[in-house]
PDB file of all heavy atoms in Angstrom:
ATOM      1  N   SER A 455       8.267 -13.883   6.484  1.00  0.00           N
ATOM      2  CA  SER A 455       9.455 -13.048   6.243  1.00  0.00           C
ATOM      3  C   SER A 455      10.176 -13.423   4.927  1.00  0.00           C
ATOM      4  O   SER A 455      10.546 -12.587   4.122  1.00  0.00           O
ATOM      5  CB  SER A 455      10.433 -13.100   7.362  1.00  0.00           C
ATOM      6  OG  SER A 455       9.895 -12.578   8.597  1.00  0.00           O
ATOM      7  N   LEU A 456      10.286 -14.738   4.736  1.00  0.00           N
ATOM      8  CA  LEU A 456      10.921 -15.234   3.570  1.00  0.00           C
ATOM      9  C   LEU A 456      10.125 -14.945   2.308  1.00  0.00           C
ATOM     10  O   LEU A 456      10.631 -14.437   1.245  1.00  0.00           O
ATOM     11  CB  LEU A 456      11.087 -16.746   3.607  1.00  0.00           C
ATOM     12  CG  LEU A 456      12.233 -17.349   2.797  1.00  0.00           C
ATOM     13  CD1 LEU A 456      13.517 -16.773   3.077  1.00  0.00           C
ATOM     14  CD2 LEU A 456      12.169 -18.876   2.960  1.00  0.00           C
ATOM     15  N   ALA A 457       8.746 -15.026   2.403  1.00  0.00           N
ATOM     16  CA  ALA A 457       7.859 -14.556   1.292  1.00  0.00           C
ATOM     17  C   ALA A 457       8.046 -13.057   0.959  1.00  0.00           C
ATOM     18  O   ALA A 457       8.038 -12.687  -0.221  1.00  0.00           O
ATOM     19  CB  ALA A 457       6.527 -14.871   1.632  1.00  0.00           C
ATOM     20  N   VAL A 458       8.211 -12.228   1.970  1.00  0.00           N
ATOM     21  CA  VAL A 458       8.392 -10.773   1.771  1.00  0.00           C
ATOM     22  C   VAL A 458       9.742 -10.604   1.059  1.00  0.00           C
ATOM     23  O   VAL A 458       9.780  -9.773   0.027  1.00  0.00           O
ATOM     24  CB  VAL A 458       8.432 -10.032   3.104  1.00  0.00           C
ATOM     25  CG1 VAL A 458       8.771  -8.608   2.901  1.00  0.00           C
ATOM     26  CG2 VAL A 458       7.010 -10.110   3.778  1.00  0.00           C
ATOM     27  N   LEU A 459      10.728 -11.263   1.422  1.00  0.00           N
ATOM     28  CA  LEU A 459      12.104 -11.145   0.847  1.00  0.00           C
ATOM     29  C   LEU A 459      12.065 -11.451  -0.717  1.00  0.00           C
ATOM     30  O   LEU A 459      12.737 -10.898  -1.437  1.00  0.00           O
ATOM     31  CB  LEU A 459      13.095 -11.957   1.516  1.00  0.00           C
ATOM     32  CG  LEU A 459      13.590 -11.577   2.914  1.00  0.00           C
ATOM     33  CD1 LEU A 459      14.508 -12.608   3.528  1.00  0.00           C
ATOM     34  CD2 LEU A 459      14.245 -10.242   2.840  1.00  0.00           C
ATOM     35  N   LEU A 460      11.195 -12.489  -1.012  1.00  0.00           N
ATOM     36  CA  LEU A 460      11.162 -12.918  -2.412  1.00  0.00           C
ATOM     37  C   LEU A 460      10.133 -12.175  -3.269  1.00  0.00           C
ATOM     38  O   LEU A 460       9.992 -12.420  -4.495  1.00  0.00           O
ATOM     39  CB  LEU A 460      10.759 -14.407  -2.378  1.00  0.00           C
ATOM     40  CG  LEU A 460      11.776 -15.316  -1.745  1.00  0.00           C
ATOM     41  CD1 LEU A 460      11.352 -16.807  -1.855  1.00  0.00           C
ATOM     42  CD2 LEU A 460      13.199 -15.190  -2.471  1.00  0.00           C
ATOM     43  N   SER A 461       9.461 -11.165  -2.626  1.00  0.00           N
ATOM     44  CA  SER A 461       8.453 -10.408  -3.337  1.00  0.00           C
ATOM     45  C   SER A 461       9.154  -9.078  -3.896  1.00  0.00           C
ATOM     46  O   SER A 461      10.250  -8.816  -3.578  1.00  0.00           O
ATOM     47  CB  SER A 461       7.294 -10.055  -2.449  1.00  0.00           C
ATOM     48  OG  SER A 461       7.688  -8.939  -1.575  1.00  0.00           O
ATOM     49  N   GLU A 462       8.290  -8.412  -4.747  1.00  0.00           N
ATOM     50  CA  GLU A 462       8.753  -7.134  -5.251  1.00  0.00           C
ATOM     51  C   GLU A 462       8.313  -5.959  -4.379  1.00  0.00           C
ATOM     52  O   GLU A 462       8.443  -4.764  -4.854  1.00  0.00           O
ATOM     53  CB  GLU A 462       8.229  -6.947  -6.677  1.00  0.00           C
ATOM     54  CG  GLU A 462       8.833  -7.921  -7.696  1.00  0.00           C
ATOM     55  CD  GLU A 462      10.430  -7.837  -7.771  1.00  0.00           C
ATOM     56  OE1 GLU A 462      10.960  -6.703  -7.848  1.00  0.00           O
ATOM     57  OE2 GLU A 462      11.045  -8.906  -7.619  1.00  0.00           O
ATOM     58  N   MET A 463       7.744  -6.242  -3.228  1.00  0.00           N
ATOM     59  CA  MET A 463       7.192  -5.176  -2.386  1.00  0.00           C
ATOM     60  C   MET A 463       8.252  -4.301  -1.924  1.00  0.00           C
ATOM     61  O   MET A 463       9.421  -4.782  -1.668  1.00  0.00           O
ATOM     62  CB  MET A 463       6.428  -5.806  -1.216  1.00  0.00           C
ATOM     63  CG  MET A 463       5.234  -6.745  -1.583  1.00  0.00           C
ATOM     64  SD  MET A 463       4.745  -7.751  -0.222  1.00  0.00           S
ATOM     65  CE  MET A 463       4.493  -6.503   1.022  1.00  0.00           C
ATOM     66  N   THR A 464       7.951  -3.014  -1.594  1.00  0.00           N
ATOM     67  CA  THR A 464       8.877  -2.184  -0.887  1.00  0.00           C
ATOM     68  C   THR A 464       8.096  -1.010  -0.226  1.00  0.00           C
ATOM     69  O   THR A 464       7.015  -0.665  -0.656  1.00  0.00           O
ATOM     70  CB  THR A 464       9.896  -1.537  -1.884  1.00  0.00           C
ATOM     71  OG1 THR A 464      10.851  -0.817  -1.039  1.00  0.00           O
ATOM     72  CG2 THR A 464       9.265  -0.546  -2.870  1.00  0.00           C
ATOM     73  N   GLY A 465       8.566  -0.729   0.957  1.00  0.00           N
ATOM     74  CA  GLY A 465       7.974   0.325   1.762  1.00  0.00           C
ATOM     75  C   GLY A 465       6.735  -0.050   2.577  1.00  0.00           C
ATOM     76  O   GLY A 465       5.942   0.741   3.056  1.00  0.00           O
ATOM     77  N   HIS A 466       6.544  -1.455   2.659  1.00  0.00           N
ATOM     78  CA  HIS A 466       5.389  -1.925   3.370  1.00  0.00           C
ATOM     79  C   HIS A 466       5.654  -2.343   4.765  1.00  0.00           C
ATOM     80  O   HIS A 466       6.698  -2.790   5.166  1.00  0.00           O
ATOM     81  CB  HIS A 466       4.782  -3.157   2.536  1.00  0.00           C
ATOM     82  CG  HIS A 466       4.142  -2.766   1.265  1.00  0.00           C
ATOM     83  ND1 HIS A 466       2.871  -2.318   1.151  1.00  0.00           N
ATOM     84  CD2 HIS A 466       4.751  -2.704  -0.005  1.00  0.00           C
ATOM     85  CE1 HIS A 466       2.661  -2.070  -0.078  1.00  0.00           C
ATOM     86  NE2 HIS A 466       3.734  -2.271  -0.853  1.00  0.00           N
ATOM     87  N   VAL A 467       4.562  -2.215   5.596  1.00  0.00           N
ATOM     88  CA  VAL A 467       4.578  -2.850   6.921  1.00  0.00           C
ATOM     89  C   VAL A 467       3.649  -4.102   6.778  1.00  0.00           C
ATOM     90  O   VAL A 467       2.490  -3.960   6.506  1.00  0.00           O
ATOM     91  CB  VAL A 467       4.036  -1.874   7.984  1.00  0.00           C
ATOM     92  CG1 VAL A 467       3.994  -2.601   9.385  1.00  0.00           C
ATOM     93  CG2 VAL A 467       4.932  -0.655   8.077  1.00  0.00           C
ATOM     94  N   ILE A 468       4.157  -5.296   7.035  1.00  0.00           N
ATOM     95  CA  ILE A 468       3.403  -6.571   6.826  1.00  0.00           C
ATOM     96  C   ILE A 468       3.088  -7.100   8.199  1.00  0.00           C
ATOM     97  O   ILE A 468       3.947  -7.531   8.932  1.00  0.00           O
ATOM     98  CB  ILE A 468       4.189  -7.588   5.979  1.00  0.00           C
ATOM     99  CG1 ILE A 468       4.585  -6.948   4.600  1.00  0.00           C
ATOM    100  CG2 ILE A 468       3.487  -8.831   5.855  1.00  0.00           C
ATOM    101  CD1 ILE A 468       5.926  -6.282   4.544  1.00  0.00           C
ATOM    102  N   ASP A 469       1.791  -7.100   8.430  1.00  0.00           N
ATOM    103  CA  ASP A 469       1.305  -7.770   9.760  1.00  0.00           C
ATOM    104  C   ASP A 469       1.399  -9.318   9.636  1.00  0.00           C
ATOM    105  O   ASP A 469       1.028  -9.827   8.575  1.00  0.00           O
ATOM    106  CB  ASP A 469      -0.187  -7.347  10.020  1.00  0.00           C
ATOM    107  CG  ASP A 469      -0.265  -5.946  10.574  1.00  0.00           C
ATOM    108  OD1 ASP A 469       0.815  -5.330  10.875  1.00  0.00           O
ATOM    109  OD2 ASP A 469      -1.365  -5.481  10.805  1.00  0.00           O
TER     110      ASP A 469
END
Side-chain angles (χ1 to χ4, degrees):
S455 300
L456 204 58
V458 174
L459 289 173
L460 298 179
S461 76
E462 293 302 313
M463 298 164 56
T464 189
H466 289 275
V467 178
I468 300 94
D469 282 354

